[in-house]
Amino acid sequence: TQADLSDGAFAQLAWNSFYLAFLAALIAVGFALILAYAKRLNPRKIVSFSVATAGMGYALPGTIIAVGVIIPFAWLDHQLIALASNWFGVDLGLILSGTLVALLFAYTVRFLAVSLGAVQSGLDKIKPSLDGAARTLGSTPLQVLRQIHVPLMKSSVLTALLIVFVDVLKELPATLILRPFNFNTLAVRAFELASDERLVDAAPASLLIVVVGLLPVILLSRSIAKGRTGS
């Protein structure tokens, strides 16, 4: 473990965990904003049902979601490989199931409900009359969302980002199944060492999960507190 710490392997694990969690949080919150705003614009039963269905992933274990993602992604990869080989003579490789694309997709499915709940809570506090006033002045729905709603519910968006970030940081089953070759995170490394009963060696990776997640938690918590104080 000391060698790992000295040669920068643990720094790489921390960076992998950080940027993976950050990307997943951005994607999940982005989709949550789109879905919540679509439901606000068109509150029909079919839209409400679609939004509710999109948020069901949190009730499923990470292993089930990972298997449900890798099967269609692997099939699509093979179709793309055959197509590229026949038409262009190029070997694309596993561009979906063999990269972070599948992992980020699984994270989005898994944690969309968390971000959706926080975003919907913030959106419900904004009066619909504000939308009507902005649309009367010529703003498009996208402009209303970007220029009015997102700034007004800044604390809710930051809360959603924070929750998804922390959840992804410690997510293990989906990461174990879908991670690309030679790609590790702190959670995976801690699990591997603990599985070998190297509990002392697993301690640094476990502690680094807390350290990597601590700084954004503090920063976002302060931003949320300032946003609420300003409101």
Side-chain angles (χ1 to χ4, degrees):
T1 302
Q2 295 299 323
D4 288 343
L5 287 171
S6 63
D7 64 13
F10 266 52
Q12 184 63 48
L13 290 176
W15 171 246
N16 289 347
S17 301
F18 180 86
Y19 86 78
L20 192 61
F22 182 72
L23 284 176
L26 286 179
I27 294 170
V29 173
F31 275 108
L33 283 168
I34 294 172
L35 291 173
Y37 193 53
K39 183 179 178 180
R40 181 184 179 95
L41 290 176
N42 190 2
R44 291 188 300 175
K45 288 185 178 180
I46 183 64
V47 178
S48 300
F49 176 76
S50 300
V51 173
T53 303
M56 291 178 61
Y58 199 64
L60 300 175
T63 306
I64 301 299
I65 292 177
V67 173
V69 168
I70 197 170
I71 292 175
F73 271 46
W75 177 86
L76 185 58
D77 263 336
H78 284 89
Q79 299 302 313
L80 292 174
I81 290 172
L83 190 65
S85 178
N86 292 334
W87 284 17
F88 307 106
V90 177
D91 183 11
L92 288 180
L94 300 175
I95 60 175
L96 297 177
S97 59
T99 63
L100 292 179
V101 174
L103 190 54
L104 289 172
F105 184 83
Y107 286 152
T108 302
V109 173
R110 178 86 166 87
F111 301 115
L112 183 59
V114 178
S115 56
L116 194 56
V119 169
Q120 279 185 321
S121 176
L123 200 57
D124 289 342
K125 296 176 183 178
I126 302 174
K127 294 181 179 180
S129 58
L130 193 60
D131 296 53
R135 295 297 301 276
T136 302
L137 294 173
S139 297
T140 64
L142 184 60
Q143 288 175 329
V144 175
L145 177 62
R146 187 180 68 250
Q147 298 176 2
I148 298 176
H149 290 324
V150 172
L152 286 177
M153 56 180 188
K154 178 182 176 182
S155 61
S156 298
V157 173
L158 290 176
T159 300
L161 284 169
L162 174 60
I163 295 173
V164 176
F165 180 90
V166 174
D167 276 342
V168 171
L169 200 63
K170 57 186 178 63
E171 172 64 24
L172 180 62
T175 311
L176 270 175
I177 296 173
L178 295 173
R179 65 194 171 103
F181 294 111
N182 298 321
F183 183 90
N184 258 2
T185 64
L186 290 170
V188 171
R189 183 59 177 160
F191 171 78
E192 290 173 344
L193 293 172
S195 297
D196 293 337
E197 297 186 4
R198 298 166 59 187
L199 301 182
V200 175
D201 292 341
S206 303
L207 291 173
L208 272 175
I209 294 176
V210 179
V211 172
V212 170
L214 191 61
L215 182 59
V217 167
I218 293 174
L219 294 177
L220 288 177
S221 296
R222 288 183 176 178
S223 298
I224 292 169
K226 288 181 180 178
R228 290 175 177 172
T229 301
S231 61

